């Protein structure tokens, strides 16, 4: 792992442990919960566009020969972001933005899986497939059964 990638990973480690704090840091509270989730995902896709090396780290591609503790750190980052998405979805539910039967944990997992898949597709394409390609259309599809 290159030195600047280690530095970026350390920066990501500084994300707050509290999902509400991550939501506040990544998406302002004045946005509705669904808009917060959309902003978080948009930021994650944009981060990949600007940070190819870190995209390889976050997908595990650059960690094949590295210490297991780095993979543990990446897993923790994924978990914290997923928790932030769940928090945003709970905010959405409390504001009546989502259907009553939406499971925030299950939907947050779907959204995080989408992000991880887009990151992986970007890295495996040799960084030719833009992770944010079709994002606005995909967001509509990802939330079609969620929005109230």
């Amino acid at each position: 792992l290159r030195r600047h990638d280690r530095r970026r990973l350390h920066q990501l480690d500084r994300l707050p442990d509290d999902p509400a704090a991550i939501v506040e840091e990544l998406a302002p509270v004045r946005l509705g919960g669904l808009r917060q989730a959309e902003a978080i995902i948009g930021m994650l896709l944009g981060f990949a566009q600007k940070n190819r090396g870190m995209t390889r780290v976050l997908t595990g591609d650059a960690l094949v020969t590295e210490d297991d503790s780095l993979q543990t750190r990446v897993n923790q980052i994924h978990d914290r972001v997923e928790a932030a998405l769940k928090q945003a979805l709970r905010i959405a539910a409390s504001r009546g933005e989502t259907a009553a039967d939406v499971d925030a944990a299950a939907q947050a997992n779907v959204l995080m899986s989408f992000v991880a898949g887009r990151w992986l597709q970007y890295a495996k394409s040799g960084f030719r497939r833009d992770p944010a390609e079709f994002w606005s259309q995909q967001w509509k599809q990802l939330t079609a059964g969620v929005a109230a």
Side-chain angles (χ1 to χ4, degrees), residues 86-103:
K86 184 167 65 173
Q87 178 68 22
L89 292 166
R90 286 180 176 155
I91 290 168
S94 73
R95 295 180 179 181
E97 298 173 33
T98 60
D101 62 345
V102 171
D103 182 325

Side-chain angles (χ1 to χ4, degrees), residues 10-67:
H10 178 69
Q11 290 170 340
L12 287 174
D13 277 343
R14 292 192 316 224
L15 277 175
D17 289 329
D18 176 24
I22 295 173
V23 170
E24 177 58 30
E25 189 169 316
L26 300 180
V29 167
R30 70 180 181 278
L31 297 176
L34 285 177
R35 295 278 299 144
Q36 287 176 349
E38 181 181 12
I40 291 167
I41 294 170
M43 184 279 308
L44 294 169
L45 298 176
F47 178 84
Q49 290 172 315
K50 295 175 187 161
N51 299 281
R52 292 177 174 187
M54 276 306 297
T55 300
R56 291 185 66 239
V57 171
L58 290 168
T59 61
D61 196 37
L63 300 177
V64 173
T65 61
E66 294 293 328
D67 186 299

Side-chain angles (χ1 to χ4, degrees), residues 1 5-19 22 26 40 43-44 47 54-55 57-60 63 69-85 108 112 115-116 119:
L1 198 58
D5 288 337
R6 285 185 188 276
R7 188 173 50 245
R8 285 192 187 117
L9 186 58
H10 178 69
Q11 290 170 340
L12 287 174
D13 277 343
R14 292 192 316 224
L15 277 175
D17 289 329
D18 176 24
I22 295 173
L26 300 180
I40 291 167
M43 184 279 308
L44 294 169
F47 178 84
M54 276 306 297
T55 300
V57 171
L58 290 168
T59 61
L63 300 177
S69 66
L70 287 176
Q71 184 62 57
T72 300
R73 288 168 58 195
V74 168
N75 292 346
Q76 289 170 343
I77 291 165
H78 280 248
D79 291 345
R80 289 183 359 224
V81 172
E82 186 173 327
L85 289 167
M112 190 62 212
V115 169
W119 284 345

